[in-house]
């Protein structure tokens, strides 16, 4: 039986979750979901100087927004807790003692400044610096003397000379010489575990099967692999993924490519678009399809299709994907997103209004923040008193157009296509060209000379509002038109060369 798939995301709570880390979280989440495994959040919060207050909450907020809820973590709990590294110190020290007992590690009584002085001296004469371990085989009586003198030892790993080989899923087998690694410190003399020791101990304890992380961690991997060997444990699959670069190249930063995932939320991107986009940055689906739902990503994620090249963030593509994901969303859900953006109360919009608007206008948006500019002008009371509106409504045929539109729509099933169709029927009945028939209807509904398809506008406004607006405009409109005259029918009511000819 193969071990269950367990991946982990191990951020340090040092601030906003940037796109690179989010991509790491996404690949771990997708891979765990794909294989029915567990996605673990472990907070690497031992570096208290770099940690920021509220850092953990910021990570959760970003993960929740992206829909990457962990199966186990500081908030969720789980059988392998605690999930904050800072709460695991006792386990780290315990594991270090085991390595002392098995002889894989040794106590080193050299003070950090002594080690540093010797390191500098070695550099000065061009000698390798890694291998400075004069306590490696310290006789017991000497160790006792150090202890008596009040020295507390660090615990270091006995690292043999010769190549340390390790495997990376993308790069294959790599090696570094043990002398270059040196006898690395596992627990400092003040009792604090070192970074690589804590990571390896925790990954082992949490039974992590796949370590998917940024390529920047590649240099840590041989050190961690040595620890797996010292504990007699098979290392996990290490997958080091390439770097996410700012638009135009270079490191992501606040100024270059809105570093924080939640900045994209503020800017109105659909979270699934960020998920989709970041997945595709280093991975491509077999058929090259780029617009992929969360479910499709889970179904298709395949580490064999990971690329090794760094990639720059392309916000234009992200926005395109955001538009696609907004359109794919059920209108009820999109309406809820829009509700937070629009002046729904000021415009008197009900949930049903927003839902209908979402149904027809989603395709005109790419970002959630596009909603106000698309939706508010439609619902705002049309300014009929303005000169442009008056000019349209005082045209000789306007009154008849409005009345015929009203009569037709009164009977119509309230669906955008049906509304457009019956409006065209009313136009034919009026015997008017599109350029004479449609503008008064449009101005009556929105006060604007141009805009979306009138069937969609009416649909979004709803029956009551639409008929009211037609009535209100008809009251001010001039030019009673008798359809029996037929004189206005100039035969061009398909109006194919007219701007306002189609609904
Ligand atoms: N804590 C590390 C970071 O913030 C990740 C460690 C790992 O994935 O092994 O990048």
């Amino acid at each position: 039986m193969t071990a269950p798939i367990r991946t982990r995301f191990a951020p340090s709570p040092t601030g906003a979750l940037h796109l690179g880390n989010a991509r790491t979280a996404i690949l771990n989440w997708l891979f765990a979901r794909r294989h029915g495994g567990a996605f673990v959040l472990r907070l690497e919060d031992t570096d208290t100087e770099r940690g920021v207050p509220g850092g953990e909450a910021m990570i959760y907020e970003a993960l929740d927004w992206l829909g990457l809820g962990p199966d186990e973590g500081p908030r969720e709990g789980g059988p392998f807790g605690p999930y904050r590294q800072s709460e695991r110190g006792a386990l780290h020290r315990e594991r270090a003692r085991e390595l002392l007992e098995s002889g894989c590690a040794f106590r080193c009584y050299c003070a950090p400044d002594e080690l540093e002085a010797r390191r500098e001296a070695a550099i000065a004469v061009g000698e390798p610096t890694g291998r400075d371990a004069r306590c490696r085989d310290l006789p017991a009586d000497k160790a006792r003397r150090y202890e008596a003198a009040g020295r507390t030892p660090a615990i270091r790993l006995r690292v043999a000379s010769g190549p340390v080989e390790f495997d990376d899923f993308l790069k294959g087998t790599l090696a570094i010489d043990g002398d270059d690694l040196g006898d690395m410190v596992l627990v400092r003399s003040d009792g604090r575990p070192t970074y690589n020791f804590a990571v390896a101990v925790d990954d082992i304890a949490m039974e992590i099967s796949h370590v998917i992380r940024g390529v920047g961690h590649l240099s840590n991997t041989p050190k961690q692999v040595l620890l797996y060997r010292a504990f007699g444990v098979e290392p996990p699959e290490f997958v080091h993924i390439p770097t996410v670069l700012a638009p135009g190249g270079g490191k992501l930063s606040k100024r270059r490519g809105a570093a924080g995932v939640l900045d994209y939320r503020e800017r109105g991107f659909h979270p699934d678009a960020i998920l989709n986009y970041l997945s595709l940055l280093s991975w491509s689906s077999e058929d090259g399809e780029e617009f992929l739902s969360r479910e499709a990503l889970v179904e298709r994620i395949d580490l064999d299709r990971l690329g090794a090249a760094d990639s720059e963030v392309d916000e234009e593509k992200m926005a395109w994907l955001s538009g696609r994901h907004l359109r794919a969303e059920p209108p009820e859900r999109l309406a809820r997103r829009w509700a937070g953006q629009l002046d729904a109360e000021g415009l008197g919009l009900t949930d049903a209004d927003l839902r209908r608007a979402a149904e027809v206008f989603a395709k005109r948006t790419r970002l959630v923040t596009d909603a106000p500019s698309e939706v508010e002008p439609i619902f705002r009371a049309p300014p009929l008193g303005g000169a442009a509106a008056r000019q349209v409504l005082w045209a000789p045929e306007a009154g008849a157009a409005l009345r015929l539109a009203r009569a037709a729509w009164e009977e119509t099933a309230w669906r955008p296509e049906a509304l457009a169709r019956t409006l065209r029927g009313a136009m034919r009945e009026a015997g008017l060209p599109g350029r004479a028939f449609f503008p008064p209807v449009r101005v009556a509904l929105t006060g604007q000379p141009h805009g979306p398809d009138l069937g969609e506008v009416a649909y979004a406004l709803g029956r009551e509002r639409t008929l009211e607006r037609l009535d209100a405009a008809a009251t001010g409109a001039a030019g009673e038109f008798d359809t029996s005259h037929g004189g206005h029918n100039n035969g061009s009511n398909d109006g194919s060369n007219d701007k306002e000819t189609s609904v």
Side-chain angles (χ1 to χ4, degrees), residues 45-182:
D45 59 345
T46 49
D47 189 345
T48 44
E49 272 167 31
R50 287 178 59 230
V52 299
E56 179 176 326
M58 282 157 91
I59 287 168
Y60 265 120
E61 196 176 346
L63 291 181
D64 287 345
W65 181 62
L66 291 171
L68 306 177
D71 300 300
E72 300 167 27
R75 180 180 69 188
E76 294 72 17
F80 297 90
Y83 293 91
R84 287 184 197 94
Q85 205 159 54
S86 59
E87 295 167 9
R88 301 177 62 83
L91 174 81
H92 301 144
R93 285 185 285 278
E94 167 63 28
R95 298 295 272 157
R97 269 193 296 277
E98 281 172 35
L99 292 182
L100 282 174
E101 276 157 30
S102 65
C104 291
F106 62 93
R107 290 189 176 83
C108 173
Y109 292 87
C110 303
D113 51 354
E114 290 168 348
L115 287 170
E116 187 50 33
R118 295 210 296 265
R119 210 178 87 86
E120 277 168 17
I123 291 172
V125 296
E127 277 178 11
T129 56
R131 180 72 65 203
D132 172 16
R134 45 181 76 179
C135 299
R136 222 175 191 228
D137 298 299
L138 206 62
D141 61 325
K142 204 155 183 201
R144 272 197 297 279
R145 271 210 304 282
Y146 279 137
E147 302 257 349
R151 287 199 181 214
T152 45
I155 300 174
R156 297 174 69 177
L157 188 73
R158 223 176 267 283
V159 176
S161 298
V164 178
E165 287 197 348
F166 62 101
D167 291 318
D168 172 64
F169 188 81
L170 289 173
K171 295 185 192 297
T173 301
L174 303 169
I176 179 169
D177 199 279
D179 283 336
D180 292 328
L181 294 176

Side-chain angles (χ1 to χ4, degrees), residues 114-422:
E114 290 168 348
L115 287 170
E116 187 50 33
R118 295 210 296 265
R119 210 178 87 86
E120 277 168 17
I123 291 172
V125 296
E127 277 178 11
T129 56
R131 180 72 65 203
D132 172 16
R134 45 181 76 179
C135 299
R136 222 175 191 228
D137 298 299
L138 206 62
D141 61 325
K142 204 155 183 201
R144 272 197 297 279
R145 271 210 304 282
Y146 279 137
E147 302 257 349
R151 287 199 181 214
T152 45
I155 300 174
R156 297 174 69 177
L157 188 73
R158 223 176 267 283
V159 176
S161 298
V164 178
E165 287 197 348
F166 62 101
D167 291 318
D168 172 64
F169 188 81
L170 289 173
K171 295 185 192 297
T173 301
L174 303 169
I176 179 169
D177 199 279
D179 283 336
D180 292 328
L181 294 176
D183 290 340
M184 62 196 211
V185 176
L186 308 181
V187 179
R188 299 177 184 91
S189 57
D190 62 7
R192 283 181 306 129
T194 55
Y195 170 77
N196 280 304
F197 184 59
V199 170
V201 167
D202 290 344
D203 283 339
I204 292 171
M206 294 180 177
E207 297 179 9
I208 299 303
S209 64
H210 290 72
V211 169
I212 305 172
R213 62 185 173 195
V215 71
H217 288 287
L218 193 62
S219 59
N220 292 323
T221 307
K223 300 179 190 169
Q224 295 172 11
V225 163
L226 281 176
L227 288 162
Y228 279 85
R229 291 189 189 141
F231 285 118
V233 178
E234 193 60 36
E237 191 78 70
F238 287 103
V239 187
H240 289 95
I241 50 179
T243 306
V244 182
L245 301 172
K251 214 168 135 64
L252 278 171
S253 70
K254 267 227 147 40
R255 278 179 302 115
R256 308 184 63 197
V261 167
L262 292 176
D263 293 338
Y264 287 92
R265 177 179 67 179
E266 297 322 308
R267 288 167 58 190
F269 286 81
H270 192 290
D272 286 1
I274 306 290
L275 187 83
N276 187 168
Y277 177 75
L278 290 178
S279 307
L280 291 182
L281 261 192
S282 45
W283 170 83
S284 60
S285 68
E286 205 159 352
D287 59 5
E289 175 59 54
E290 302 215 295
F291 167 62
L292 294 167
S293 69
R294 178 174 295 267
E295 295 71 28
L297 285 168
V298 168
E299 206 171 286
R300 296 177 184 212
I301 184 75
D302 177 1
L303 295 183
D304 283 325
R305 299 188 59 81
L306 275 180
D310 293 348
S311 21
E312 289 171 23
V313 169
D314 176 352
E315 293 194 342
E316 186 48 36
K317 187 160 174 191
M318 243 193 245
W320 171 76
L321 280 172
S322 176
R324 295 288 307 265
H325 282 278
L326 285 173
R327 253 169 286 159
E329 194 153 66
E332 293 72 28
R333 201 162 342 131
L334 182 55
R336 281 198 292 280
R337 284 187 204 282
W338 279 5
Q341 304 284 333
L342 292 160
D343 180 17
E345 212 180 87
L347 293 166
L349 298 185
T350 63
D351 290 351
D353 292 333
L354 272 176
R355 201 203 62 81
R356 288 191 315 275
E359 195 181 325
V360 287
F361 298 141
K363 61 175 177 285
R364 301 173 64 88
T365 66
R366 300 204 301 175
L367 305 176
V368 183
T369 42
D370 291 337
S373 63
E374 290 300 329
V375 178
E376 287 181 0
I378 305 285
F379 281 93
R380 216 173 275 139
L384 299 182
R390 287 217 311 266
Q391 200 187 345
V392 172
L393 293 175
W394 287 0
E397 305 89 347
L402 294 172
R403 259 184 295 282
L404 284 168
R406 189 194 202 286
W409 276 350
E410 229 174 351
E411 306 293 317
T412 308
W414 214 255
R415 294 293 312 157
E417 312 73 31
L419 289 163
R421 208 176 325 108
T422 39

